[in-house]
Amino acid sequence: MDSGATMHLAVSLFPGIADPSPEPGFSRLTGFVQKAEAAGLDMVLLADSAPASGGAANSPMPFEATTLLAALATVTSRIGLVAAASTVAHQPYNLARRFASLDIISHGRSGWNATMTQAPREAANFSRPEGFSPDDFRRRSEEYIGIVQGLWRGWDADALLFDQSGGRFHDPEKMHLLDHKGGFFSVRGPLNVARSPQDTPVLVLSDLSEADLDIAARTADVILLDDGPLDGTTERYDDIRRRVTGCGRDPDAVKVLTNVAPTANSKLAALADRLEKEFRARGCDGFNILMPAQLSALDDFVDLVLPELRQRGLFRENYRGTTLRSHLGLAGGGDR
């Protein structure tokens, strides 16, 4: 964990969730994210709105997640913005370029949430009606993630010169072709987007099976885990840190957040106790709060739970920098 035992806090935002407010959809979402930013939360996670993930009609999803991220970046200045984007619905080069662009637009606050679970029938909208076998999906996802991260690292920090008088756009020695040829993709690179303000956008992995944990240990910046019995969280957390170390990475290079859904009966005072207990037991590095159906639920969390956490010395008073990596205490924060 970070020095000072500071808890990390994120909140998941599902664009189509029910809310009785008469305000237009984007205005409500803007208010939600600005409230989360004023509260000092590390990041907001935006759900993917790709259709046909199941047999029934989807809940209303008014905005595609990366488009929403770009819009929200213009009305916020500090909070991290993490958009889900499917490895089935996007080619890796285009996705890498999109998030690299979003990171520049947001001044280093963007992240990609990649799920390791195949959505039922999603592939049917993208020329693969039969989908992928579980093993193929896992191998394809790992290859995909490696391509995206390789493209993000294709330019050294000082590679772009923009030397108009000398006619030099970049230093060739500081540009690295990916030249990837794998089982599922062939991608030459590099990206035609400058290096990220925070070195690379933050990679968040979710919906992990046991077989996916080694992939996450090699690649992820943040791992989202479902809530479970408290007596098992410390063992799970230690296991992930061992896997990260076994990959040659600093165990603090990966932050583990537990998904927590506040109860609908407003017993929020007990939530602070529950978060403190798991955090102090070294069961995680923080929490991703899954909001109930009304966006106003964020008010209760911010007004009732956060003051308790701050009073107990568990959550910081202010942002420690301007990039998402700096909020999370990750290398490459730029302004850590």
Side-chain angles (χ1 to χ4, degrees):
M1 297 180 189
D2 290 348
S3 59
T6 299
M7 174 187 296
H8 296 293
L9 290 174
V11 61
S12 282
L13 169 61
F14 297 91
I17 60 181
D19 193 297
S21 169
E23 292 182 84
F26 181 67
S27 296
R28 286 188 286 114
L29 300 181
T30 296
F32 182 99
V33 176
Q34 288 175 336
K35 174 85 174 183
E37 181 173 66
L41 299 184
D42 291 313
M43 58 185 176
V44 172
L45 285 87
L46 310 173
D48 192 0
S49 59
S53 60
N58 281 12
S59 300
M61 287 289 198
F63 306 110
E64 187 272 331
T66 62
T67 306
L68 181 59
L69 191 162
L72 291 172
T74 68
V75 294
T76 57
S77 62
R78 303 298 289 276
I79 195 166
L81 301 168
V82 178
S86 166
T87 59
V88 174
H90 306 275
Q91 284 291 313
Y93 184 92
N94 285 339
L95 185 139
R97 184 171 182 256
R98 182 173 303 170
F99 277 97
S101 299
L102 290 170
D103 210 55
I104 294 170
I105 291 169
S106 66
H107 303 289
R109 294 186 289 129
S110 78
W112 170 37
N113 180 14
T115 176
M116 295 299 291
T117 298
Q118 183 173 196
R121 287 180 285 279
E122 180 190 37
N125 283 331
F126 301 98
S127 304
R128 288 297 298 258
E130 73 284 3
F132 301 92
S133 70
D135 183 60
D136 279 353
F137 183 79
R138 179 175 296 108
R139 292 189 299 110
R140 183 182 182 277
S141 296
E142 182 175 18
E143 184 179 339
Y144 190 114
I145 290 167
I147 292 168
V148 170
Q149 291 185 317
L151 289 169
W152 283 342
R153 298 180 181 120
W155 297 99
D156 290 348
D158 56 349
L160 300 184
L161 303 174
F162 302 108
D163 180 8
Q164 293 186 4
S165 61
R168 294 192 306 158
F169 172 73
H170 68 279
D171 182 344
E173 297 297 320
K174 297 179 180 181
M175 180 195 77
H176 311 288
L177 290 179
L178 184 65
D179 200 21
H180 172 87
K181 295 180 177 64
F184 296 91
F185 302 101
S186 176
V187 180
R188 181 176 183 271
L191 290 180
N192 57 348
V193 179
R195 188 179 177 92
S196 163
Q198 55 177 343
D199 287 345
T200 67
V202 170
L203 174 64
V204 179
L205 289 188
S206 59
D207 299 315
L208 303 172
S209 68
E210 180 71 20
D212 299 323
L213 289 178
D214 284 335
I215 298 174
R218 289 192 291 271
T219 63
D221 297 305
V222 177
I223 294 174
L224 298 183
L225 296 178
D226 289 335
D227 197 8
L230 183 61
D231 58 4
T233 57
T234 299
E235 181 180 353
R236 181 176 68 174
Y237 180 73
D238 289 342
D239 175 62
I240 290 174
R241 289 173 65 85
R242 281 192 296 269
R243 291 173 190 258
V244 173
T245 302
C247 296
R249 303 177 70 190
D250 184 330
D252 291 323
V254 180
K255 304 302 177 184
V256 178
L257 304 188
T258 300
N259 294 319
V260 174
T263 57
N265 58 10
S266 293
K267 292 183 178 177
L268 292 172
L271 179 58
D273 294 337
R274 181 248 183 275
L275 299 184
E276 179 179 16
K277 189 172 183 180
E278 180 171 342
F279 183 74
R280 292 202 186 278
R282 293 187 58 84
C284 63
D285 295 298
F287 302 90
N288 175 38
I289 309 301
L290 308 174
M291 284 291 110
Q294 270 66 42
L295 296 180
S296 58
L298 180 63
D299 293 339
D300 293 333
F301 182 78
V302 167
D303 297 339
L304 300 176
V305 179
L306 278 188
E308 276 293 318
L309 296 177
R310 286 189 166 117
Q311 185 177 3
R312 301 175 194 189
L314 293 169
F315 189 61
R316 54 177 170 68
E317 291 288 339
N318 301 298
Y319 287 111
R320 65 185 96 202
T322 61
T323 69
L324 178 52
R325 286 186 176 275
S326 66
H327 301 344
L328 296 171
L330 295 171
D335 57 6
R336 279 188 67 199

